[in-house]
Amino acid sequence: MPNCNAKFHRGGREASRRELVSRSLQSAQHCLEEQDFGTAYAHYLLVLNLAPELKSSVKETFQFTLLKWAEELDSLARIQDLFNCYEQALELYPNDEVICNSMGEHLFRMGFRDEAAGYFHKAVKLNPDFADAKENFYRVANWLVERWHFIMLNDAKRNLTYLKAIEKAVHSGCNSVLDIGTGTGILSMFAKKAGASRVYACELSKTMYELAHDVVAANNMEKEIKLLHLKSLDIEIPKHIPERVSLVVTETVDAGLFGEGIVESLIHAWEHLLLQPK
């Protein structure tokens, strides 16, 4: 008899859940017709939490509702509520390119360009054919990736000088390397190619951190270089890296006032110091 009662109660709870889900879906649809996007969004949250098996079938309507409600929140300057909605949506659909792209658009308009780039980049990764996300990512990248990066990357002489200095340091016994402000990851890759057994790299800019991931992966070194989205001063041992490194490399010298020539002179000076006998 107790087993029969338990089955009866379970069946009753299931019937109640289905009824609530059905009514909430009807209410959400009615709210959409009335353009009451905030209430419709709340109903869809309830539905998706009660019936996660419906995620696929209501996905497009949920996206539409979220985007419309987010526009209203933005116009009302309810920024925290807007971000809360996107956080809830991404918990339900963590790999949804439309939601990621929309979140990035709001962040970009608010001036959070680095954070926006991260969402645009994720959207493109999820769907490489998503034209809006690609356009948004390239647009924000033009804001964040300084032009001098391209000049430096194409300066064969300076890159060769760095490579030689790093090779000599590694060959002299510096087997663990930390690259501070890695940018595209070029110095980290130089260190690995030189034979360093352990290479770590940190980058504060979210955009450059994501770019470094792509560049390192394209060179088949993603398992050999550990990338950290951190300030160098925030790195803790053993939380982030397991050891004190024997070599630090960086190219964070600001040459805006004098041009790149002074940096090349400094590189030669650093190379000279690295080669001094201990």
Side-chain angles (χ1 to χ4, degrees):
M1 194 69 174
N3 288 337
C4 291
N5 287 335
K7 289 180 180 178
F8 176 79
H9 287 304
R10 283 198 298 271
R13 285 198 298 269
E14 178 61 20
S16 296
R17 182 186 75 91
R18 290 178 181 174
E19 177 67 18
L20 181 55
V21 168
S22 177
R23 289 186 178 182
S24 294
L25 283 172
Q26 292 173 11
S27 297
Q29 187 60 43
H30 175 72
C31 290
L32 286 179
E33 292 170 0
E34 298 295 320
Q35 297 191 348
D36 183 359
F37 300 113
T39 307
Y41 175 77
H43 280 298
Y44 278 119
L45 281 184
L46 178 61
V47 167
L48 290 167
N49 279 289
L50 287 174
E53 67 272 14
L54 296 179
K55 281 185 178 180
S56 296
S57 60
V58 303
K59 179 179 176 179
E60 290 187 9
T61 311
F62 177 77
Q63 289 172 343
F64 172 80
T65 306
L66 169 66
L67 270 55
K68 287 294 186 180
W69 180 225
E71 287 177 7
E72 283 193 23
L73 292 173
D74 195 4
S75 67
L76 295 169
R78 292 171 56 182
I79 305 306
Q80 190 57 56
D81 289 335
L82 185 152
F83 286 142
N84 289 341
C85 285
Y86 276 103
E87 286 177 8
Q88 293 165 340
L90 287 169
E91 284 180 10
L92 292 166
Y93 296 98
N95 295 317
D96 187 283
E97 68 271 22
V98 173
I99 296 175
C100 288
N101 183 63
S102 181
M103 176 66 159
E105 289 176 338
H106 283 286
L107 286 166
F108 184 79
R109 285 198 294 269
M110 293 174 193
F112 300 107
R113 296 187 179 116
D114 204 28
E115 293 83 354
Y119 282 99
F120 294 145
H121 184 263
K122 182 178 180 180
V124 173
K125 283 287 189 182
L126 290 167
N127 182 0
D129 296 323
F130 190 6
D132 287 349
K134 285 198 291 187
E135 181 180 344
N136 285 332
F137 181 67
Y138 294 145
R139 179 163 54 115
V140 74
N142 283 330
W143 284 87
L144 294 172
V145 181
E146 300 288 350
R147 298 298 96 189
W148 48 261
H149 271 290
F150 302 104
I151 298 172
M152 287 163 46
L153 289 172
N154 286 282
D155 189 335
K157 183 178 180 181
R158 79 183 281 120
N159 292 337
L160 182 60
T161 302
Y162 267 110
L163 176 60
K164 287 181 178 178
I166 291 171
E167 282 179 341
K168 289 175 181 177
V170 171
H171 294 166
S172 71
C174 297
N175 289 321
S176 57
V177 180
L178 172 63
D179 179 6
I180 296 177
T182 191
T184 59
I186 188 170
L187 299 187
S188 295
M189 292 187 291
F190 282 170
K192 196 63 197 176
K193 287 182 177 179
S197 56
R198 299 171 304 283
V199 180
Y200 314 100
C202 64
E203 174 58 53
L204 179 59
S205 164
K206 179 68 173 176
T207 303
M208 295 308 299
Y209 168 76
E210 297 286 359
L211 179 60
H213 262 291
D214 289 346
V215 172
V216 168
N219 285 272
N220 299 314
M221 293 186 182
E222 66 269 28
K223 294 181 180 179
E224 302 177 70
I225 298 173
K226 182 175 181 179
L227 291 165
L228 303 166
H229 181 218
L230 288 171
K231 286 183 180 179
S232 58
L233 294 176
D234 292 336
I235 295 175
E236 299 177 18
I237 300 171
K239 181 178 179 181
H240 300 116
I241 61 176
E243 62 187 323
R244 292 177 66 88
V245 298
S246 53
L247 176 66
V248 173
V249 297
T250 186
E251 200 190 5
T252 54
V253 179
D254 182 8
L257 180 59
F258 302 104
E260 292 298 333
I262 191 171
V263 181
E264 187 170 319
S265 299
L266 286 169
I267 293 171
H268 286 295
W270 289 341
E271 182 182 21
H272 176 73
L273 290 171
L274 284 171
L275 299 177
Q276 293 303 302
K278 297 181 180 179

